[in-house]
Amino acid sequence: MGEVASKAALAKRAAGALGRLTTGQKNEALLVMADALRREAAAIIEANAEDLERGRQGGTPQSMLDRLSLDTDRIDAIAEGLQQIAVLPDPVGDTLETLERPNGLIIEKIRVPLGVIGIIYEARPNVTVDAAGLCLKTGNAVVLRGGSAALSSNRKIVEVLHAALAGTNIPPEALQLIEDPNRSSVDELLKLNGLLDVIIPRGGSSLIQNVVKNATVPVIETGAGICHTYLDASAVAEMAESISLNAKAQRPSVCNSMETLLVHRSFAAEHLTALGEAFRSAKVELRGCSRTRTLIPWALPVTEENFATEYNDYILNIKVVDGIDEALEHIARYGTKHSECIVTEDEESAERFQDEVDAAAVYHNASTRFTDGFEFGYGAEIGISTQKLHARGPMGLPALTSTKYKIYGNGQIRS
Amino acid sequence: MGEVASKAALAKRAAGALGRLTTGQKNEALLVMADALRREAAAIIEANAEDLERGRQGGTPQSMLDRLSLDTDRIDAIAEGLQQIAVLPDPVGDTLETLERPNGLIIEKIRVPLGVIGIIYEARPNVTVDAAGLCLKTGNAVVLRGGSAALSSNRKIVEVLHAALAGTNIPPEALQLIEDPNRSSVDELLKLNGLLDVIIPRGGSSLIQNVVKNATVPVIETGAGICHTYLDASAVAEMAESISLNAKAQRPSVCNSMETLLVHRSFAAEHLTALGEAFRSAKVELRGCSRTRTLIPWALPVTEENFATEYNDYILNIKVVDGIDEALEHIARYGTKHSECIVTEDEESAERFQDEVDAAAVYHNASTRFTDGFEFGYGAEIGISTQKLHARGPMGLPALTSTKYKIYGNGQIRS
């Protein structure tokens, strides 16, 4: 058995006992892990330096090096994340339903861990700790496959966590890191039915699409966000500007930021030029339809392909529409079912938009940037599901659980 | 665009409007569908006769012909099924959570339809109606791909239902039947990401495994059941016999029936010979381990392969075990996470068994045959999920829904 299957088998063997630990035992282990990371920060930074050096020699862009880089502050923040997970309520063991049947059977529906979770991600070493913490808190064993660019960092982090877990009730085998940097190790992981219960990809759209297209293990699809904001005829100009600027420019690199602004023609006639100026001040490059370009002459022409692109950057498409119908059609065509917003004072339009848009989160008069586990008050976030099965939108701890029916009888048989 | 993609696209287009119909509109359509089936029973039976004739000429086994065959009583029962679905509560629109955030955002989590559901099944024409009814009740469009052996029946049934829907608020395009009898039409359906939101296979294990292995659309895996009953040392002999006979022989062809009986050695020493007699009277062929065969000399020797087989027949494996540990190990190795049972008077053993067995339904002192949507009181059943994602165990109407967050603001932006 190669590395991938043998590590997944170890994780599976550890999962049973892990799933039956008390909340206290799991929380204690999370705190021990946090302490160990802080204590071993120097060694982790040293391992990270190897990754950075390799990256620089290989010509990795600076933005990727930034995401890869660790220092004492970042390690402290990562450890802090584990402490925050420790104080969250533990969903495992919750009774979701109790049915008493006419034949006397008592049926309880109980939350249980999923089992073994595979996480496939890129070169952010913080995900290694974050995913481990979230999975362990919910009683799940975890098999991590991080990007090869972060291999030295991940290996050292997992070594530190394994040593820490050895003194706790969590079996260290419950946390596995796949070290094989070849893509074949990802391919193998994707087909480990019977060992993995679910795979969650975290990263860019090509990583996610590879997982979705090739996995035979069930997947929770996360991430890709082509989000729209529609400024309706009755939108208040100030609010429209503040919401659309925030949705685009507060942090363009994330999935809940806006890529396309749809503007009702009457609102556009009055306010679009000023709005264009505001985006120019915020250093946002604009691409517009022909009606947009008469009002914002410095906008480049927008293409079909632009509408289908998740920029994650200071670039925005603008389209003037005749009304809510055209906005809804555009969103149905180009949206990724992530987060969509209408700015309007018209309650009927707002209701129609929220009912008809097919997306995880549909906003009336608020920025799409709020689609986030912390902003929703979940205290943690595994990712934002853009599929409709199992979990949709920001995923908190319950998204990492399944259920089991326990049935209590006294000899009942079926007739 | 071929038949598969174009019909799925029609279904998708119909899904939006369908998802916003009222419960009353959907129920009315279900009743109209039921009436139409009864009214057109003769035409349906005529189409069914073509399938039966083709089957007989092709040498289809009698048991399959039985499942394929329709008569007035069966059509009446199928129509009755639609009427029962009409009276069930509609989960769509339910508010599952309301969060009020410190910044004033109100976040509502609402049940919505999944969208477009693909159902892949074998030659049971009743599934055509049943699946259509369940999907439409939950506001989902449905693309059906039934076994080619039932094609004439399915075509006629869908023709009747389309004509019936034309007089209702449900767009007839919401119900699509793939008529291409080639396997390539299944393969195409499995990869229709963007048009289908989920695929549910219903049928034998080879059909299900084909779907699980090849689909890129999310799947809800159903069905396969290698279920065990463990008779503990303290089991009451009468209850042990009645539960294990029921689990095996009341209806062996279904997934929740028992395939292997595990017997504590002390219980075996006292009761296994009598139990063997009882199974012999019930015409159950026995296959046993060596300890079993000293107590039931007429049992054939059992093999590893037998333990891994879902017989769905009057055949039973019996294994004598040294205690609950060995029983748990056996179940972990051969079980399909469907339904498992312990018969015991020892509460501690019962609790341990229910905690440690990883299955959708774990019984104490009741037959595994109860794993069923109707027996659980759900009033309907789409299937029994054996995966851990989205739904586990008997699936009622809520299993055919997703959720959406509606967020109400008054200008909130993220800082």
Side-chain angles (χ1 to χ4, degrees), chain A residues 246 354-355 406 414, chain B residues 246 354-355 404 406 414:
Chain A
N246 186 260
Q354 289 191 311
D355 283 344
K406 291 186 184 177
R414 190 157 166 193
Chain B
N246 186 260
Q354 288 189 311
D355 282 345
K404 170 198 267 191
K406 291 187 186 176
R414 190 157 165 194

Side-chain angles (χ1 to χ4, degrees), chain B residues 203-237:
Chain B
S205 77
S206 75
L207 178 146
I208 291 168
Q209 282 312 306
N210 176 48
V211 170
V212 169
K213 294 271 178 265
N214 296 306
T216 53
V217 173
V219 170
I220 301 179
E221 187 173 348
T222 65
I226 298 181
C227 304
H228 302 78
T229 301
Y230 167 55
L231 308 179
D232 197 21
S234 68
V236 172

